[in-house]
Amino acid sequence: MVRPHRAVVLLLPPVIGFDATIPPQILGSATDQDGKDLYEVRMASLDGAPVPTRSGYSITPDGDTSLLATAQTVIVPGTRYHPRYAGTLTEPLAAAFDRIRPSARIVSICTGAFVLGATGLLDGRRATTHWGYADDFRRLYPRVDLDETVLFVDEGRILTSAGLAAGIDLCLHLIRRDHGAAAANRVAKYNVVPSWRDGGQAQFIERPVPHGEQSGTGAARDWALAHLDRQLDVARFAAEARMSLRTFNRRFREETGYSPGAWLIEQRVNQARNLLETTDLPVDEVAVRSGLGSGATLRQRLHAAVGLSPSDYRRRFRAAAS
DNA sequence: CCGAGATCCCGCCAAG
DNA sequence: AACTTGGCGGGATCTC
């Protein structure tokens, strides 16, 4: 890589400070094998002046919208700027977007999607935003195919992510797309975040706060976690919760956002990753102890999760764990 | 990577 | 009437 990919964050007042700092932190910690930066992240505001955040403090940008003309990726973090309520661009915002190169990738985090919506870039495309503002979004932008159950949507040149921390998932996705899973995994590990979160944001919508511990599938999940090494199908899982299969499936999805089978696979892969990182057990034995059955299944699952074979995974992460 | 057989899982809908 | 349950069908996904 000759020069780092140039990403510019467009700060619109009042910006969500957390969103705004995700790209410099996540993209900014991506490096190649030789430790060279893969991304160069710059902050821009409409006029180059500091931008107040929703939390009171201000962010001093690197410059004004002339920076946008240099961007290979433009990122719009969450904001309560004009389009969030009006669904339209302001004069300076329209001018700012005019400076973006036609080839540049355009990305939003959280309510930044409202800004992209106002440009018309999302019309006829799939997109997402913070689940709490999905209704507002649909009202302002009926031509956009909004899906508030996912963490992010990749439409090629245009990408949108769900609320707040989903911006981390999207930035990891960008790294994965640009430089492969290994580079993204290094960044995730360094930042101490999961390199891939499954299940979308649906799990946060249905029951934002878990209620009534006793009525649900939680006890069965605890039981399953303690017995991952056993062969355990969904029917037995449901029996543990004393529910019919149909009801168990339904309740499980409501409470976790996962189907029981997908949740089991996720837990099993996690267990296998732990065993790979902390033991020298043969791959087939790791597969058995994590309930994945055979090495072939483990290989397939691990590759889907992190893009690495078991031995590659162990090589890459064993040292860090010991 | 394939392909047969197993398993999953979600819309549908009748029955509490 | 509104809501929950759970059997069924069969396309999707998974396992080996």
Side-chain angles (χ1 to χ4, degrees):
Chain A
M1 164 128 303
V2 182
R3 43 181 16 196
H5 181 105
R6 169 65 77 100
V8 175
V9 181
L10 179 58
L11 308 170
L12 300 168
V15 70
I16 311 297
F18 178 65
D19 292 353
T21 58
I22 288 171
Q25 176 61 41
I26 301 296
L27 298 181
S29 54
T31 56
D32 64 14
Q33 257 75 357
D34 304 326
K36 293 233 180 74
D37 287 344
L38 293 172
Y39 297 88
E40 177 189 41
V41 185
R42 291 288 174 266
M43 311 291 258
S45 68
L46 289 174
D47 55 5
V51 178
T53 67
R54 284 281 299 159
S55 310
Y57 63 91
S58 292
I59 298 176
T60 304
D62 295 295
D64 62 18
T65 56
S66 58
L67 282 169
L68 294 176
T70 71
Q72 292 164 278
T73 296
V74 174
I75 301 166
V76 183
T79 176
R80 300 215 169 183
Y81 191 63
H82 184 76
R84 163 70 185 80
Y85 303 101
T88 55
L89 295 174
T90 58
E91 190 94 12
L93 189 51
F97 268 84
D98 283 342
R99 309 189 76 150
I100 298 174
R101 293 189 291 194
S103 62
R105 196 160 54 183
I106 302 181
V107 175
S108 72
I109 297 171
C110 196
T111 46
F114 283 78
V115 175
L116 302 200
T119 66
L121 284 167
L122 297 178
D123 288 351
R125 295 177 190 264
R126 288 184 64 235
T128 192
T129 188
H130 190 292
W131 60 266
Y133 307 106
D135 290 343
D136 289 352
F137 191 93
R138 286 210 175 79
R139 190 165 37 74
L140 287 173
Y141 308 114
R143 302 177 61 183
V144 180
D145 179 11
L146 185 77
D147 182 355
E148 76 271 40
T149 68
V150 297
L151 286 172
F152 57 81
V153 173
D154 182 344
E155 280 274 325
R157 195 169 84 82
I158 313 287
L159 299 92
T160 50
S161 63
L164 298 160
I168 297 173
D169 300 274
L170 179 54
C171 284
L172 289 171
H173 172 73
L174 286 175
I175 299 168
R176 198 177 294 117
R177 215 176 89 169
D178 294 344
H179 301 287
N185 291 341
R186 282 199 301 274
V187 172
K189 186 136 188 122
Y190 176 76
N191 285 280
V192 199
V193 293
S195 63
W196 176 261
R197 281 200 289 167
D198 230 339
Q201 64 171 332
Q203 58 193 307
F204 308 115
I205 298 173
E206 301 274 356
R207 307 260 165 93
V209 178
H211 64 79
E213 313 120 27
Q214 219 40 312
S215 60
T217 58
R221 284 200 297 280
D222 290 343
W223 175 83
L225 278 177
H227 301 100
L228 279 180
D229 55 324
R230 294 191 194 173
Q231 38 117 310
L232 163 68
D233 61 17
V234 174
R236 193 171 308 207
F237 202 176
E240 187 62 28
R242 282 158 237 256
M243 292 180 199
S244 72
L245 250 183
R246 187 65 190 87
T247 297
F248 184 67
N249 276 335
R250 191 159 25 217
R251 300 281 289 281
F252 200 97
R253 176 164 283 285
E254 283 171 6
E255 290 172 21
T256 69
Y258 289 79
S259 64
W263 182 87
L264 266 179
I265 287 170
E266 170 114 354
Q267 304 311 317
R268 289 184 154 145
V269 170
N270 281 342
Q271 169 120 327
R273 290 169 66 165
N274 279 331
L275 289 172
L276 287 170
E277 289 183 28
T278 59
T279 74
D280 288 316
L281 293 169
V283 170
D284 279 325
E285 181 61 21
V286 169
V288 168
R289 294 204 190 186
S290 55
L292 286 167
S294 72
T297 301
L298 170 56
R299 259 179 279 280
Q300 206 263 17
R301 292 274 151 229
L302 193 65
H303 200 269
V306 296
L308 295 171
S309 71
S311 57
D312 280 348
Y313 185 87
R314 177 170 265 157
R315 243 194 307 284
R316 193 173 297 284
F317 293 118
R318 180 86 168 96
S322 60

